[in-house]
Amino acid sequence: MTDSKKTATLSFDGKSYDLPIFSPTAGPDVIDIRKLYGTAGVFTYDPGFTSTASCDSTITYIDGEKGELLHRGYPIDQLASKSHFLEVCFLLLYGYLPTATELESFESTITHHTMVHEQMINFFRGFRRDAHPMAIMVGVVGAMSAFYHDSTDINDPRQREVASHRLIAKMPTIAAMAYKYTIGQPFVYPRNDIDYASNFLRMCFAVPCEEYEVNPILARAMDRIFTLHADHEQNASTSTVRLASSSGANPFACIAAGIACLWGPAHGGANQACLEMLEEIGTVDRIPEYIERAKDKNDPFRLMGFGHRVYKNFDPRAKVMKQSADEVLDLLGIEDNPKLQVAKELEKQALSDPYFEDKKLFPNVDFYSGIILEAMGFPTSMFTPIFALSRTVGWISQWKEMIADPQNKIGRPRQLYLGETLRDYVDIENR
């Protein structure tokens, strides 16, 4: 953050107030209003905080106009095509790309933390079999603080480190156990001899009665889904994690809060909405009808998975995800899956339609990741848990950055109060 010596002047009630302006390394300048209430006696009003910088950060930067997403300065498309998830985890956590020795050590640490406390299995059995996997994850992740007392002191750097490793390592195990529990199959324990993405797929789809070999194309696609969802700046769930952690809550409680926020359909349910849309369309021959409906402003139907509220040009994650989607569909085929047939044809027709090009409504990462997860055999109820698994490293990185920030203070948003003013209590017999 650079002090540019520039100021913004706010004038009202015959008085003027000079507010400092800070310049970032990228993005728009920021007006510092921290002393505004103390000097001028007014608040600012910004529902949704869409024009408010709640913190300074060095982790992720998004330029929606350019279609740019950077992690520690590295473009997401380069990371997704040349790197892999655990290396990106290291980058987000520590701020630089690891050496071969550092990466090997980090991967070993994560791998050897993947098992969960055996007693946590009893916790799963407290849920109904038809419980949503996200409900299970919120409860189980929050309960980790009852099992791992040696990593809850946020003022101890070593405990923060251990908590970070545990959450990244155990989240695939917890998500897979939530899935297995809801379908009535036995839990599958992680193995130390296979990679992170392969381990997750094996824990989800293996059964004790036969060997399960993870296809490398599917493992690579899964790894890319993890990578492309690892962090996305100060979004709703990340801000929730930061706000929860500002009170000094333990890391497991903070990440559970992030999972709860991500569960909301406006945040983490986009790829599920894509699949539900494909199911509504039903068959390939109905696609032209739905494309025309999408163009009609008076029709409530919207093409889910096209365009993005942040990226006004194109989603930089979509190109790499499309490559994986094509590879997965070529491997598994779409002949027996009407939804995937609709998806491929919808993509083709939308990309060739000038309307979508003019409006910059290109398929986004949610469209392609939804297709991949459907093809792999995941039910839509598992889409958001996989998102939460992927985003955990981003939440943890933001949490660590906030705890280490000397400016850290408890979050306390203000309000524009529009309720009743002071009035006297009326006894019940006089009402």
Side-chain angles (χ1 to χ4, degrees):
M1 180 170 60
T2 304
D3 186 349
S4 63
K5 305 300 183 183
K6 294 187 294 185
T7 60
T9 301
L10 176 67
S11 299
F12 68 97
D13 287 345
K15 296 181 180 179
S16 295
Y17 305 90
D18 290 331
L19 304 173
I21 295 179
F22 295 120
S23 297
T25 54
D29 286 347
V30 175
I31 300 173
D32 183 0
I33 60 168
R34 284 175 292 181
K35 297 182 179 179
L36 181 61
Y37 177 61
T39 57
V42 296
F43 299 143
T44 56
Y45 184 62
D46 182 22
F49 309 115
T50 55
S51 296
T52 299
S54 62
C55 63
D56 56 73
S57 181
T58 62
I59 299 171
T60 298
Y61 172 72
I62 296 171
D63 188 323
E65 298 297 329
K66 293 181 180 178
E68 187 174 73
L69 170 60
L70 308 179
H71 291 327
R72 303 289 190 178
Y74 296 99
I76 187 60
D77 53 331
Q78 290 184 21
L79 293 173
S81 59
K82 298 180 179 181
S83 183
H84 63 278
F85 182 63
L86 285 186
E87 184 176 53
V88 173
C89 287
F90 187 101
L91 173 67
L92 290 171
L93 285 170
Y94 303 112
Y96 65 94
L97 290 173
T99 64
T101 302
E102 288 174 323
L103 181 58
E104 182 180 2
S105 174
F106 180 73
E107 289 178 336
S108 177
T109 298
I110 298 301
T111 299
H112 288 86
H113 270 299
T114 51
M115 286 185 65
V116 298
H117 195 291
E118 188 68 11
Q119 201 173 338
M120 291 187 77
I121 292 175
N122 298 326
F123 198 79
F124 279 86
R125 294 193 178 113
F127 293 96
R128 287 170 51 114
R129 287 285 181 180
D130 60 356
H132 195 288
M134 283 295 278
I136 297 174
M137 288 187 69
V138 170
V140 173
V141 173
M144 286 176 71
S145 58
F147 291 88
Y148 302 104
H149 303 291
D150 60 344
S151 54
T152 57
D153 183 356
I154 65 170
N155 298 311
D156 183 336
R158 177 56 187 161
Q159 290 201 31
R160 294 202 299 267
E161 189 83 349
V162 172
S164 302
H165 294 161
R166 280 177 170 157
L167 280 159
I168 294 168
K170 298 181 192 305
M171 201 63 75
T173 309
I174 292 170
M177 290 174 76
Y179 172 57
K180 285 294 196 181
Y181 185 77
T182 60
I183 61 174
Q185 290 186 2
F187 298 139
V188 176
Y189 287 77
R191 280 173 40 176
N192 292 343
D193 60 341
I194 55 178
D195 65 82
Y196 191 88
S198 297
N199 230 336
F200 175 65
L201 289 172
R202 181 181 172 277
M203 288 189 289
C204 285
F205 297 120
V207 290
C209 52
E210 61 186 26
E211 286 297 316
Y212 179 83
E213 293 292 330
V214 181
N215 187 291
I217 292 176
L218 301 185
R220 179 61 177 150
M222 193 80 257
D223 189 88
R224 280 182 169 172
I225 288 176
F226 293 161
T227 298
L228 293 169
H229 291 87
D231 193 50
H232 211 236
E233 215 192 77
Q234 306 307 317
N235 51 73
S237 58
T238 299
S239 298
T240 298
V241 171
R242 280 182 170 265
L243 192 60
S245 68
S246 74
S247 72
N250 73 73
F252 306 110
C254 295
I255 300 307
I259 295 171
C261 180
L262 188 69
W263 195 1
H267 188 8
N271 48 15
Q272 180 174 340
C274 291
L275 265 293
E276 291 169 350
M277 174 198 70
L278 297 176
E279 191 168 1
E280 179 184 348
I281 295 173
T283 56
V284 170
D285 60 290
R286 299 184 67 192
I287 291 175
E289 170 197 342
Y290 277 86
I291 286 181
E292 290 306 311
R293 288 182 60 188
K295 295 177 184 179
D296 184 356
K297 294 181 179 179
N298 297 318
D299 193 309
F301 174 77
R302 293 291 179 267
L303 277 184
M304 306 303 296
F306 288 77
H308 197 280
R309 68 171 67 89
V310 173
Y311 301 108
K312 306 306 180 186
N313 191 355
F314 64 93
D315 186 339
R317 303 167 294 176
K319 182 179 179 181
V320 178
M321 201 75 270
K322 171 178 167 52
Q323 178 185 341
S324 283
D326 291 340
E327 292 171 354
V328 169
L329 295 187
D330 287 344
L331 172 70
L332 301 177
I334 61 173
E335 294 79 12
D336 299 326
N337 193 320
K339 278 186 280 192
L340 296 181
Q341 293 172 9
V342 170
K344 288 294 287 183
E345 184 60 27
L346 178 60
E347 175 198 32
K348 178 182 176 182
Q349 292 191 27
L351 288 175
S352 62
D353 191 316
Y355 174 87
F356 292 94
E357 185 173 353
D358 293 343
K359 298 287 187 180
K360 307 296 184 185
L361 295 176
F362 303 113
N364 60 32
V365 70
D366 300 310
F367 181 81
Y368 292 119
S369 62
I371 291 173
I372 291 171
L373 296 175
E374 164 75 16
M376 286 180 176
F378 284 104
T380 54
S381 62
M382 275 299 292
F383 287 10
T384 313
I386 290 170
F387 192 164
L389 186 172
S390 311
R391 185 56 56 83
T392 296
V393 66
W395 292 332
I396 283 292
S397 301
Q398 300 275 350
W399 170 78
K400 286 184 66 180
E401 182 180 63
M402 180 175 180
I403 296 299
D405 186 353
Q407 298 184 93
N408 180 26
K409 60 176 66 177
I410 188 169
R412 181 62 171 87
R414 299 296 190 168
Q415 66 176 8
L416 172 63
Y417 178 70
L418 299 175
E420 299 288 346
T421 55
L422 180 67
R423 52 183 175 172
D424 291 327
Y425 178 82
V426 179
D427 292 333
I428 193 167
E429 61 271 14
N430 295 326
R431 295 177 206 165

